[in-house]
Amino acid sequence: MPLLSANALGWLIESALSTQSLLLGRAVHAHIIRTIESPFPPFLSNHLINFYSKLDSPNTAQLLLSLTPPRFRSVVTWTALIAGSVQNGHFTSALLHFSDMRRQSVQPNDFTFPCLFKASAFLHYSLMGQQLHALALKGEEPPNSITFCVFLNACSDGLYLKLGQQLHGYVIRFGFGSDVSVLNGMVDFYGKCHQVKYSELVFNEINVRNGVSWCTMLAVYEQNDIWDNAFMLFLKARKEGIKPTEFMLSSVLSACAGMAVLELGRSIHGLAVKACIEHNVFVGSALVDMYGKCGSIDNCESSFYEMPERNLITWNAVMGGSAHQGCADMALSLFEEMTSESHNVVPSYVTFVCVLTACSRAGAVKIGMDIFESMQKKYGIEPGPEHYACVVDILGRAGLVERAYDFIKKMPVPPTVSVWGALLGACRVHGKPELGKVAADNLFRLDPLDSGNHVILSNMFAAAGRWDEANLVRKEMKDVGITKGAGVSWISAKNSIHIFQAKDTTHERYPEIQAMLAKLRRVMKAEGYIADTNSALYDLEEEEKESEVWHHSEKIALAFGLIAIPPGVPIRITKNLRVCVDCHSAIKFISGITGREIIVRDNNRFHSFKDYQCSCRDYW
């Protein structure tokens, strides 16, 4: 390395930190030792201490501090050490460093306190937090916009709503109620505390909004699943002449994923290409996630492989999309590729949820159990409720329902709703009403107001011809005031979203929809289709039950799709509840007689129907 100035060396250390390159940082450190006499200029020592602290090399950072003469140890030096300790979870060390800093009569600044508050919060040292609060208020720097922004960030991270609201009062009191940076911080703070109305009030108070203002409010809507508002705000920002940024597009793409609106997602993709940011790692990851959740696995895969740089979020998105669309082999292959020597990406908690889901979809019992065992042994990741639920699902799907129940009984943690729900689903599919009753009773205890579990149990008894028990479950629902949520399906056509409920008669094309439903019914009967009437709500006559299931919302949406969407274009339907057995059988049959690809996303997974087959292999 040629002889470099001190400023250039400082810049190289920052570059090594931003790229998380310990090797580069050490090389620069070695060059400093060879070319610059000790003691180093204070700012270089600060750069190095910050670098080693942030990259979790506390011993090296501490050694550098001891080699720095006390007169050169400024608040920047100590704050770098404290911030690095907090960032890497060494909370006690952070507070000890602060104690040493105070012994040397170094005063904390605006950046020191948030780190100390976070350390105190994680350690549950409430008294320490109160003392730090008092110290901050007694400080001699009057508060400025940076002070308020840093404190708001700390309140956001800890979800300290009351403290943040008190700080809001200080913002107004000290005359910063019109400072755009502080107000942007307030919007973010309230959004992370799920107080969206307050975020909107603050946003509307900003007289001159900048790009950050729009991005922050958009993120608030997206993070709180208010996707319609996110779309509307994005359109308003575009009309105001706000240029799309990586952060803005990734947020609106996440909203598209939540609503499963593929056409809008594709238009956002076009904006990203036009702005030359589609290969940005955040935008690219959001595109992969959006296409996966919108049921377009080909676009999901191509977006993934077109990315020049991928992070863990990208890998999780493509694996999750593959698993939920039934492309389990692809998801397992991606997991092997991700953890291979060529990529060497360390899987996370979420990664294992994705890959175990893929194993359950593929019926890969041995592979799934081996991966589950490797979580802690190989990667040091403690299994959580989602992982245990996946294992129960893996065993249940394979028909090993009793083994799944034994697994639940041996779990080291109390089974959650998702665990018992997986067992109940397996009992429904494999006709195990007695064990299903055990699972349902536990679900009723954990989540007594969820109508879905009652309906599954009732339908399970009905399918077994045990109508008295089925009706008893329905009666219990009524007695305690539990009502089944209305089934709603929606479909996008010609840049509009059309929403349908069961027995819906309000759509402007209702006569055409009914004509299509009647035509389908005639053709299907002629081809030998027999309706599965076990999904009917009551012990009705067979003809009445067939009429009941024929007017479910997903069938109405499909009939509309057949008359509104041109041949050759996949029909994409989203439903708020799980698709019923008869609708699943009927749509599978319709895909064959019409030659159409039909993709249904219910509240559990994707179903890709084509040529009389479904990607879920009739287990959902």
Side-chain angles (χ1 to χ4, degrees), residues 286-533:
L287 282 169
V288 172
D289 184 58
M290 182 274 294
Y291 281 123
K293 289 180 178 174
C294 289
S296 181
I297 192 61
D298 292 338
N299 285 322
C300 174
E301 188 178 5
S302 61
S303 295
F304 174 79
Y305 283 111
E306 286 171 5
M307 290 179 65
E309 178 190 358
R310 304 175 193 127
N311 59 17
L312 181 59
I313 295 173
T314 321
W315 286 96
N316 287 345
V318 72
M319 278 191 288
S322 303
H324 285 291
Q325 291 178 63
C327 304
D329 293 339
M330 175 180 165
L332 292 170
S333 176
L334 284 162
F335 179 72
E336 291 181 8
E337 182 183 353
M338 167 188 166
T339 54
S340 66
E341 291 184 2
S342 58
H343 294 285
N344 198 28
V345 179
V346 179
S348 67
Y349 186 101
V350 175
T351 308
F352 283 105
V353 174
C354 296
V355 74
L356 288 172
T357 300
C359 291
S360 69
R361 304 290 195 241
V365 177
K366 186 179 186 310
I367 295 174
M369 297 307 292
D370 288 345
I371 289 174
F372 178 76
E373 293 295 328
S374 75
M375 282 183 62
Q376 199 165 28
K377 292 180 180 178
K378 187 174 180 180
Y379 298 102
I381 298 175
E382 189 74 27
E386 297 90 346
H387 305 114
Y388 287 114
C390 284
V391 171
V392 173
D393 199 44
I394 289 170
L395 297 172
R397 282 174 183 270
L400 305 172
V401 183
E402 286 77 13
R403 183 178 166 187
Y405 183 46
D406 288 338
F407 176 82
I408 292 174
K409 290 189 288 187
K410 295 175 183 176
M411 282 173 51
V413 295
T416 61
V417 168
S418 57
V419 172
W420 288 116
L423 182 64
L424 179 60
C427 292
R428 176 185 65 83
V429 172
H430 295 291
K432 303 280 187 178
E434 299 303 329
L435 189 52
K437 180 71 164 58
V438 173
D441 286 343
N442 280 280
L443 284 167
F444 297 162
R445 176 177 55 83
L446 293 172
D447 192 5
L449 298 181
D450 185 349
S451 64
N453 299 321
H454 291 78
V455 171
I456 291 175
L457 181 62
S458 175
N459 288 346
M460 195 187 313
F461 284 135
R466 296 162 62 169
W467 286 105
D468 289 343
E469 290 162 288
N471 289 330
L472 180 61
V473 174
R474 295 282 178 172
K475 182 178 182 300
E476 289 173 352
M477 288 177 63
K478 185 176 181 181
D479 290 344
V480 297
I482 300 173
T483 57
K484 180 178 179 292
V488 177
S489 297
W490 58 94
I491 182 171
S492 179
K494 297 180 180 177
N495 298 319
S496 297
I497 296 176
H498 301 260
I499 302 172
F500 300 94
Q501 289 188 337
K503 302 179 182 178
D504 201 332
T505 62
T506 60
H507 196 273
E508 59 184 10
R509 300 186 70 174
Y510 170 73
E512 296 173 81
I513 292 171
Q514 288 302 306
M516 176 57 73
L517 283 171
K519 177 182 176 182
L520 289 171
R521 197 170 179 180
R522 287 195 304 271
V523 174
M524 290 168 71
K525 278 194 173 182
E527 293 286 333
Y529 176 78
I530 299 175
D532 187 330
T533 56

Side-chain angles (χ1 to χ4, degrees), residues 554 575 577-581 583-584 587 600 602-603 607 609 620:
E554 53 266 58
K575 185 176 181 182
L577 304 176
R578 188 171 296 193
V579 63
C580 81
V581 175
C583 286
H584 188 273
I587 296 172
V600 178
D602 66 10
N603 69 347
H607 302 267
F609 300 92
W620 70 100

Side-chain angles (χ1 to χ4, degrees), residues 86 91-92 95 113-130 132 154-155 157-160 163:
V86 171
F91 304 117
T92 302
L95 296 176
F113 281 113
C115 301
L116 297 169
F117 288 145
K118 188 176 291 187
S120 301
F122 273 96
L123 293 171
H124 302 289
Y125 289 174
S126 58
L127 181 60
M128 172 71 77
Q130 290 171 345
L132 289 168
C155 292
D157 290 343
L159 301 180
Y160 302 134
L163 183 61

Side-chain angles (χ1 to χ4, degrees), residues 102-158:
R102 294 290 288 155
R103 285 195 193 98
Q104 295 185 17
S105 301
V106 178
Q107 296 295 325
N109 67 10
D110 296 343
F111 298 95
T112 317
F113 281 113
C115 301
L116 297 169
F117 288 145
K118 188 176 291 187
S120 301
F122 273 96
L123 293 171
H124 302 289
Y125 289 174
S126 58
L127 181 60
M128 172 71 77
Q130 290 171 345
Q131 292 172 336
L132 289 168
H133 190 185
L135 184 63
L137 292 176
K138 286 169 62 179
E140 297 177 1
E141 291 178 53
N144 55 31
S145 61
I146 296 175
T147 311
F148 287 122
C149 288
V150 173
F151 270 72
L152 280 169
N153 188 50
C155 292
S156 299
D157 290 343

